[in-house]
Amino acid sequence: TIEGFGSLLGYLPFCLTLLIGGGIVVCYCVAVSLGHVEAAFPYISDTGTFPPESCIFTLSLNCAAVVAIAIFTLKYLHVKQYNRGCSSRVRRVNAAGLIVGYISAFGIMVVAAFQETNVLSVHVLGAMMAFFGGTVYMFLIASLGFMRDVNFGVNEARYSRARLCMAFLSLVSFILMLVCTHVSVAQLRGENPSADIRMWTNDQKGYNIHVVATAFEWVMALDLLAFLMTFSQELHLIQLQVGLVRQPSISTPSVLSTPPSRSGPLLP
């Protein structure tokens, strides 16, 4: 058995923030420098649409999705371990959070794999899975802290109130982003049906509402990362053990294992 991973698990949320935040910042700088997007508040996906930034975008999001799956799994195991004698309601909410978290992580992979210029419908579906799934996950985990018999091993009340506020912020941002995106695109396409929303300028219709929509998308992304950062102290409580079990070998009887009989045939 190999031990000693417990002190490192608490840094996984920081690794996730570095992968997503660092990857998006690099993509943004490259995209703006090459003239692929406008500098003022582009959509996150717009920063990773064209090569070479699309390569960095795909790599960073796929790596981030793997780390997110690890965080969701460890959080599930943490709640399960600390609440073995809890009610079935806690177990159901904890399991639902794990499933929704996996859906959100898969949405991140879909966004990374299907750029909006290639398969827009699949890209949008992945974004909805990532953002809406992330928001639902936030509400599920936040609700655990308000259940009477739950235990996190830390100050549950402080974290639960902060997480609930973050969940509501994500929900409001998600709704406003959808509404503002619909209104701004309708105004732009009403003026110029062939306009490119990645190169939206302030002299075009719907620009101000477009900036509001993209700002709420960035708020959602930062809010979800901040939410997962609150897991750091709890993940430090987990001691992960990795064991290697050697299966007993199965020997196949050999045809030469028993010496052949040298006696002659039996006579009646």
Side-chain angles (χ1 to χ4, degrees):
T1 301
I2 304 174
E3 301 183 4
F5 290 94
S7 60
L8 300 177
L9 297 179
Y11 296 107
L12 282 178
F14 296 94
C15 294
L16 179 64
T17 301
L18 181 62
L19 283 170
I20 294 182
I24 291 176
V25 168
V26 171
C27 291
Y28 171 82
C29 294
V30 174
V32 171
S33 64
L34 296 178
H36 293 166
V37 295
E38 285 293 320
F41 278 109
Y43 287 104
I44 295 176
S45 298
D46 291 345
T47 64
T49 300
F50 299 105
E53 62 267 19
S54 62
C55 305
I56 304 172
F57 188 80
T58 299
L59 178 62
S60 62
L61 287 192
N62 280 327
C63 293
V66 173
V67 176
I69 289 173
I71 293 174
F72 296 144
T73 303
L74 290 172
K75 178 59 181 175
Y76 166 79
L77 295 175
H78 165 254
V79 175
K80 181 180 179 180
Q81 180 69 25
Y82 273 79
N83 299 274
R84 289 187 175 273
C86 64
S87 64
S88 59
R89 181 186 177 190
V90 174
R91 293 194 296 270
R92 288 195 301 268
V93 172
N94 191 33
L98 179 65
I99 295 172
V100 174
Y102 284 170
I103 293 174
S104 178
F106 180 71
I108 295 175
M109 293 182 180
V110 172
V111 169
F114 297 88
Q115 282 81 24
E116 58 186 25
T117 53
N118 296 328
V119 190
L120 179 60
S121 58
V122 179
H123 180 87
V124 172
L125 175 62
M128 294 300 103
M129 292 170 62
F131 283 122
F132 184 71
T135 300
V136 174
Y137 178 80
M138 294 165 73
F139 273 106
L140 289 172
I141 298 301
S143 67
L144 285 173
F146 293 94
M147 296 181 183
R148 183 168 50 186
D149 54 347
V150 76
N151 176 31
F152 288 158
V154 294
N155 189 341
E156 296 91 353
R158 180 185 62 182
Y159 282 105
S160 299
R161 287 192 293 266
R163 288 169 181 168
L164 185 61
C165 292
M166 292 179 184
F168 275 110
L169 175 61
S170 181
L171 178 62
V172 172
S173 300
F174 180 77
I175 295 173
L176 292 178
M177 182 202 67
L178 291 180
V179 173
C180 292
T181 298
H182 176 75
V183 173
S184 60
V185 172
Q187 291 185 4
L188 176 65
R189 294 290 166 79
E191 178 188 41
N192 183 5
S194 61
D196 186 359
I197 63 174
R198 288 179 299 275
M199 301 302 295
W200 215 319
T201 57
N202 55 11
D203 59 340
Q204 294 175 308
K205 282 189 176 181
Y207 175 79
N208 292 332
I209 303 177
H210 159 73
V211 171
V212 173
T214 55
F216 278 121
E217 185 190 37
W218 285 86
V219 168
M220 267 195 301
L222 294 174
D223 185 44
L224 179 58
L225 290 176
F227 185 92
L228 297 179
M229 291 279 282
T230 65
F231 291 175
S232 178
Q233 185 176 357
E234 296 164 23
L235 296 184
H236 274 300
L237 301 175
I238 299 176
Q239 183 67 39
L240 182 64
Q241 297 180 349
V242 180
L244 179 63
V245 179
R246 181 178 179 181
Q247 297 292 339
S249 59
I250 301 176
S251 58
T252 303
S254 173
V255 294
L256 300 178
S257 59
T258 303
S261 175
R262 295 184 179 274
S263 61
L266 296 178
L267 298 176

